[in-house]
Amino acid sequence: MEKDLGNYRKSYEKSALMEDAISDNPMELFQKWFYEVEASNTVDETNSMTIATIGLDGYPKSRVVLLKRYTYEGFIFYTNYESEKGKAIEANPKVCLSFFWHSMERQVIIKGTAEKISENLSDGYFESRPDGSKLGAIVSNQSEVIASRDVLEDGVKALEAKYKGKEIPRPDYWGGYLVRPISIEFWQGRPNRLHDRIRFALQEDFDWKIERLAP
Ligand SMILES: Cc1cc2nc3c(=O)[nH]c(=O)nc-3n(C[C@H](O)[C@H](O)[C@H](O)COP(=O)(O)O)c2cc1C
Protein backbone atom coordinates (compact mmCIF):
# COMPACT_ATOMS: atom_id res chain seq x y z
CA MET A 1 0.00 0.00 0.00
CA GLU A 2 1.31 3.40 -0.92
CA LYS A 3 0.07 6.95 -1.31
CA ASP A 4 2.23 9.81 -2.42
CA LEU A 5 1.30 13.10 -0.74
CA GLY A 6 4.09 15.10 -2.34
CA ASN A 7 1.58 17.35 -4.12
CA TYR A 8 -0.23 18.37 -0.95
CA ARG A 9 0.85 21.98 -0.75
CA LYS A 10 -0.70 25.16 0.55
CA SER A 11 0.42 28.76 0.62
CA TYR A 12 -0.11 30.45 3.99
CA GLU A 13 -1.20 34.04 3.48
CA LYS A 14 -3.62 35.02 6.22
CA SER A 15 -1.48 36.97 8.63
CA ALA A 16 1.96 37.95 9.88
CA LEU A 17 3.75 38.05 13.22
CA MET A 18 6.11 40.99 13.51
CA GLU A 19 8.17 42.09 16.50
CA ASP A 20 6.57 45.53 16.65
CA ALA A 21 3.16 44.00 17.32
CA ILE A 22 4.01 41.95 20.39
CA SER A 23 4.26 42.77 24.09
CA ASP A 24 6.94 41.56 26.51
CA ASN A 25 4.81 38.76 27.90
CA PRO A 26 3.93 35.71 25.81
CA MET A 27 0.71 35.05 27.71
CA GLU A 28 -0.61 38.34 26.34
CA LEU A 29 0.19 37.28 22.80
CA PHE A 30 -1.36 33.87 23.52
CA GLN A 31 -4.52 35.62 24.69
CA LYS A 32 -4.58 37.85 21.62
CA TRP A 33 -4.26 34.87 19.30
CA PHE A 34 -6.79 32.84 21.29
CA TYR A 35 -9.37 35.65 21.04
CA GLU A 36 -8.72 36.09 17.34
CA VAL A 37 -9.17 32.38 16.68
CA GLU A 38 -12.38 32.31 18.72
CA ALA A 39 -13.71 35.40 16.95
CA SER A 40 -12.96 33.86 13.55
CA ASN A 41 -15.55 31.14 14.25
CA THR A 42 -13.52 28.76 12.13
CA VAL A 43 -12.21 26.44 14.82
CA ASP A 44 -14.45 23.94 16.55
CA GLU A 45 -12.64 23.74 19.87
CA THR A 46 -10.18 26.61 20.11
CA ASN A 47 -9.10 25.21 23.48
CA SER A 48 -8.08 21.77 22.26
CA MET A 49 -4.35 21.20 22.48
CA THR A 50 -1.96 18.31 22.46
CA ILE A 51 0.14 17.49 25.47
CA ALA A 52 3.28 15.48 24.92
CA THR A 53 4.94 13.64 27.78
CA ILE A 54 7.91 11.35 28.04
CA GLY A 55 6.46 8.00 29.08
CA LEU A 56 7.76 5.44 31.52
CA ASP A 57 8.73 3.39 28.43
CA GLY A 58 11.04 6.23 27.34
CA TYR A 59 8.91 7.18 24.33
CA PRO A 60 7.27 10.56 23.88
CA LYS A 61 3.48 10.42 23.54
CA SER A 62 1.09 13.20 22.67
CA ARG A 63 -2.66 13.31 22.94
CA VAL A 64 -5.38 15.94 22.82
CA VAL A 65 -6.77 17.51 25.99
CA LEU A 66 -8.85 20.62 26.60
CA LEU A 67 -7.36 23.79 27.99
CA LYS A 68 -9.70 24.94 30.76
CA ARG A 69 -7.96 28.06 32.07
CA TYR A 70 -4.96 30.20 31.33
CA THR A 71 -3.39 32.96 33.40
CA TYR A 72 0.01 34.65 33.59
CA GLU A 73 1.10 31.52 35.50
CA GLY A 74 0.34 29.10 32.72
CA PHE A 75 -2.13 26.61 31.29
CA ILE A 76 -4.57 24.35 33.18
CA PHE A 77 -6.16 21.13 31.96
CA TYR A 78 -7.94 18.28 33.76
CA THR A 79 -7.33 14.59 33.61
CA ASN A 80 -6.94 11.36 35.55
CA TYR A 81 -3.78 11.53 37.67
CA GLU A 82 -3.34 7.75 37.31
CA SER A 83 -3.63 7.73 33.52
CA GLU A 84 -0.65 7.04 31.29
CA LYS A 85 0.01 10.78 31.07
CA GLY A 86 -0.45 11.17 34.82
CA LYS A 87 2.18 8.53 35.52
CA ALA A 88 4.47 10.05 32.92
CA ILE A 89 4.16 13.51 34.51
CA GLU A 90 4.80 12.04 37.96
CA ALA A 91 8.13 10.65 36.71
CA ASN A 92 9.01 13.60 34.48
CA PRO A 93 6.99 16.81 34.77
CA LYS A 94 8.57 18.33 31.66
CA VAL A 95 5.85 18.49 29.01
CA CYS A 96 5.06 20.13 25.69
CA LEU A 97 1.70 21.62 24.80
CA SER A 98 0.79 22.57 21.29
CA PHE A 99 -2.07 24.23 19.50
CA PHE A 100 -2.64 24.07 15.76
CA TRP A 101 -5.27 26.53 14.57
CA HIS A 102 -5.37 25.41 10.98
CA SER A 103 -7.79 27.98 9.59
CA MET A 104 -5.65 30.81 11.01
CA GLU A 105 -2.40 29.17 9.87
CA ARG A 106 -1.11 29.38 13.43
CA GLN A 107 0.73 27.06 15.76
CA VAL A 108 1.78 27.64 19.37
CA ILE A 109 4.29 25.34 21.08
CA ILE A 110 4.78 25.53 24.83
CA LYS A 111 7.49 23.79 26.81
CA GLY A 112 7.02 23.75 30.55
CA THR A 113 6.63 21.81 33.74
CA ALA A 114 3.34 20.35 34.93
CA GLU A 115 2.23 20.41 38.53
CA LYS A 116 -1.02 19.40 40.21
CA ILE A 117 -3.27 22.35 41.03
CA SER A 118 -4.79 22.74 44.50
CA GLU A 119 -7.55 20.34 45.53
CA ASN A 120 -9.83 23.32 45.99
CA LEU A 121 -9.43 24.43 42.40
CA SER A 122 -9.98 20.89 41.11
CA ASP A 123 -13.08 20.57 43.32
CA GLY A 124 -14.41 23.83 41.93
CA TYR A 125 -14.04 22.73 38.34
CA PHE A 126 -15.35 19.21 39.03
CA GLU A 127 -18.48 20.68 40.62
CA SER A 128 -19.13 22.75 37.52
CA ARG A 129 -19.25 19.68 35.28
CA PRO A 130 -22.53 17.97 34.30
CA ASP A 131 -23.36 14.85 36.35
CA GLY A 132 -22.71 12.57 33.39
CA SER A 133 -19.15 13.88 33.05
CA LYS A 134 -18.59 13.53 36.79
CA LEU A 135 -19.67 9.88 36.73
CA GLY A 136 -17.60 9.29 33.61
CA ALA A 137 -14.52 10.59 35.39
CA ILE A 138 -15.17 8.34 38.38
CA VAL A 139 -15.87 5.20 36.42
CA SER A 140 -12.98 5.41 33.99
CA ASN A 141 -9.66 4.06 35.16
CA GLN A 142 -8.22 6.05 32.33
CA SER A 143 -5.62 4.25 30.20
CA GLU A 144 -6.24 0.82 31.81
CA VAL A 145 -7.22 -2.15 29.63
CA ILE A 146 -10.90 -3.03 30.09
CA ALA A 147 -12.76 -6.18 29.05
CA SER A 148 -15.56 -4.43 27.17
CA ARG A 149 -17.62 -1.24 26.90
CA ASP A 150 -20.10 -2.81 29.31
CA VAL A 151 -17.62 -2.24 32.12
CA LEU A 152 -18.15 1.52 31.64
CA GLU A 153 -21.90 1.45 30.96
CA ASP A 154 -22.60 -0.86 33.92
CA GLY A 155 -20.27 1.15 36.13
CA VAL A 156 -22.10 4.38 35.34
CA LYS A 157 -25.49 2.74 36.01
CA ALA A 158 -24.29 1.54 39.41
CA LEU A 159 -22.95 5.00 40.24
CA GLU A 160 -26.17 6.69 39.10
CA ALA A 161 -28.03 4.56 41.62
CA LYS A 162 -25.44 5.18 44.33
CA TYR A 163 -25.48 8.97 43.95
CA LYS A 164 -29.17 9.48 43.14
CA GLY A 165 -30.17 12.78 44.79
CA LYS A 166 -26.71 13.14 46.31
CA GLU A 167 -23.69 15.24 45.49
CA ILE A 168 -21.12 13.43 43.35
CA PRO A 169 -17.68 13.84 44.92
CA ARG A 170 -14.50 14.40 42.91
CA PRO A 171 -12.36 11.28 43.06
CA ASP A 172 -8.87 12.07 44.36
CA TYR A 173 -7.32 10.50 41.25
CA TRP A 174 -8.88 13.15 39.01
CA GLY A 175 -7.90 16.82 38.87
CA GLY A 176 -6.05 19.58 37.15
CA TYR A 177 -2.48 20.25 36.12
CA LEU A 178 -0.95 23.66 35.68
CA VAL A 179 1.74 23.80 33.02
CA ARG A 180 4.16 26.62 33.84
CA PRO A 181 5.83 27.66 30.59
CA ILE A 182 9.57 28.07 30.18
CA SER A 183 9.30 28.66 26.45
CA ILE A 184 6.48 29.63 24.13
CA GLU A 185 6.89 29.66 20.38
CA PHE A 186 4.40 31.35 18.08
CA TRP A 187 4.30 30.22 14.46
CA GLN A 188 2.45 32.13 11.78
CA GLY A 189 2.36 30.65 8.29
CA ARG A 190 3.62 32.95 5.52
CA PRO A 191 4.01 32.60 1.73
CA ASN A 192 6.95 30.71 0.22
CA ARG A 193 7.60 28.85 3.48
CA LEU A 194 9.07 32.02 4.98
CA HIS A 195 6.96 31.60 8.08
CA ASP A 196 7.20 33.83 11.13
CA ARG A 197 8.47 32.12 14.28
CA ILE A 198 8.86 34.12 17.47
CA ARG A 199 10.07 32.35 20.60
CA PHE A 200 9.79 33.67 24.15
CA ALA A 201 12.22 31.97 26.53
CA LEU A 202 12.02 32.50 30.30
CA GLN A 203 15.24 33.86 31.78
CA GLU A 204 16.63 33.47 35.29
CA ASP A 205 15.43 36.95 36.21
CA PHE A 206 11.93 35.92 35.00
CA ASP A 207 12.08 38.22 32.01
CA TRP A 208 11.22 36.76 28.66
CA LYS A 209 13.86 36.74 25.96
CA ILE A 210 12.29 37.23 22.56
CA GLU A 211 13.95 35.76 19.48
CA ARG A 212 13.00 35.16 15.86
CA LEU A 213 13.70 31.68 14.53
CA ALA A 214 14.31 30.65 10.95
CA PRO A 215 11.32 28.82 9.54
C1 LIG B 1 -11.01 16.86 21.50
C2 LIG B 1 -10.50 15.99 22.63
C3 LIG B 1 -10.51 16.48 23.93
C4 LIG B 1 -10.02 15.72 24.98
N1 LIG B 1 -9.96 16.28 26.24
C5 LIG B 1 -9.41 15.57 27.25
C6 LIG B 1 -9.20 16.19 28.53
O1 LIG B 1 -9.46 17.38 28.74
N2 LIG B 1 -8.66 15.42 29.51
C7 LIG B 1 -8.32 14.11 29.31
O2 LIG B 1 -7.85 13.46 30.25
N3 LIG B 1 -8.46 13.51 28.11
C8 LIG B 1 -9.00 14.22 27.07
N4 LIG B 1 -9.13 13.63 25.83
C9 LIG B 1 -8.72 12.23 25.66
C10 LIG B 1 -7.20 12.16 25.54
O3 LIG B 1 -6.82 12.50 24.21
C11 LIG B 1 -6.61 10.77 25.88
O4 LIG B 1 -7.26 9.77 25.13
C12 LIG B 1 -6.79 10.45 27.36
O5 LIG B 1 -6.49 11.56 28.19
C13 LIG B 1 -5.89 9.28 27.77
O6 LIG B 1 -4.55 9.60 27.49
P1 LIG B 1 -3.31 8.80 28.13
O7 LIG B 1 -3.71 7.33 28.14
O8 LIG B 1 -2.16 9.07 27.23
O9 LIG B 1 -3.11 9.31 29.53
C14 LIG B 1 -9.57 14.39 24.75
C15 LIG B 1 -9.57 13.90 23.43
C16 LIG B 1 -9.99 14.70 22.40
C17 LIG B 1 -9.91 14.17 20.99
Side-chain angles (χ1 to χ4, degrees), residues 6 17 28 54 60 82 91 98 117 156 190 201:
L17 180 60
E28 287 167 10
I54 302 291
E82 293 169 4
S98 70
I117 62 172
V156 165
R190 300 290 303 270

Coordinates of all heavy atoms in Angstrom, one line a residue, residues 6 17 28 54 60 82 91 98 117 156 190 201:
G6 N 3.1 14.1 -2.0 CA 4.1 15.1 -2.3 C 3.5 16.3 -2.9 O 4.0 17.4 -2.8
L17 N 3.4 37.8 11.8 CA 3.8 38.0 13.2 C 5.1 38.8 13.3 O 6.1 38.3 13.0 CB 3.9 36.7 14.0 CG 4.3 36.8 15.4 CD1 3.2 37.6 16.2 CD2 4.5 35.5 16.1
E28 N 0.2 37.3 27.0 CA -0.6 38.3 26.3 C -0.8 38.1 24.8 O -1.9 38.2 24.3 CB 0.0 39.7 26.6 CG -0.3 40.1 28.1 CD 0.5 41.3 28.5 OE1 1.1 42.0 27.7 OE2 0.6 41.5 29.8
I54 N 7.0 12.5 28.2 CA 7.9 11.3 28.0 C 7.4 10.2 28.9 O 7.3 10.4 30.2 CB 9.4 11.7 28.4 CG1 9.8 12.9 27.6 CG2 10.3 10.5 28.3 CD1 10.1 12.7 26.2
P60 N 8.2 9.5 23.8 CA 7.3 10.6 23.9 C 5.9 10.1 23.4 O 5.8 9.2 22.6 CB 7.8 11.6 22.9 CG 8.7 10.9 22.0 CD 9.1 9.6 22.6
E82 N -3.9 9.1 37.4 CA -3.3 7.8 37.3 C -3.3 7.2 35.9 O -3.0 6.1 35.6 CB -4.1 6.8 38.2 CG -3.9 7.1 39.7 CD -4.8 6.4 40.7 OE1 -5.6 5.5 40.2 OE2 -4.7 6.7 41.9
A91 N 6.7 11.0 36.9 CA 8.1 10.7 36.7 C 8.9 11.8 36.1 O 10.1 11.9 36.4 CB 8.3 9.4 35.9
S98 N 0.8 21.8 22.6 CA 0.8 22.6 21.3 C -0.6 22.8 20.8 O -1.5 21.9 21.0 CB 1.7 21.9 20.2 OG 1.2 20.7 19.8
I117 N -2.7 21.1 40.4 CA -3.3 22.3 41.0 C -3.9 22.0 42.4 O -3.9 20.8 42.8 CB -4.3 23.0 40.1 CG1 -5.5 22.0 39.9 CG2 -3.7 23.4 38.8 CD1 -6.7 22.7 39.2
V156 N -21.4 3.1 35.2 CA -22.1 4.4 35.3 C -23.5 4.1 35.9 O -24.0 4.9 36.8 CB -22.2 5.1 34.0 CG1 -23.2 6.2 34.0 CG2 -20.8 5.7 33.6
R190 N 3.4 31.9 6.5 CA 3.6 33.0 5.5 C 3.9 32.3 4.1 O 4.3 31.2 4.1 CB 4.8 33.8 5.9 CG 4.7 34.5 7.3 CD 3.7 35.6 7.3 NE 3.9 36.7 6.4 CZ 4.6 37.8 6.6 NH1 5.2 38.0 7.7 NH2 4.7 38.7 5.6
A201 N 11.6 32.9 25.6 CA 12.2 32.0 26.5 C 12.4 32.6 27.9 O 12.9 33.7 28.0 CB 13.6 31.6 26.0

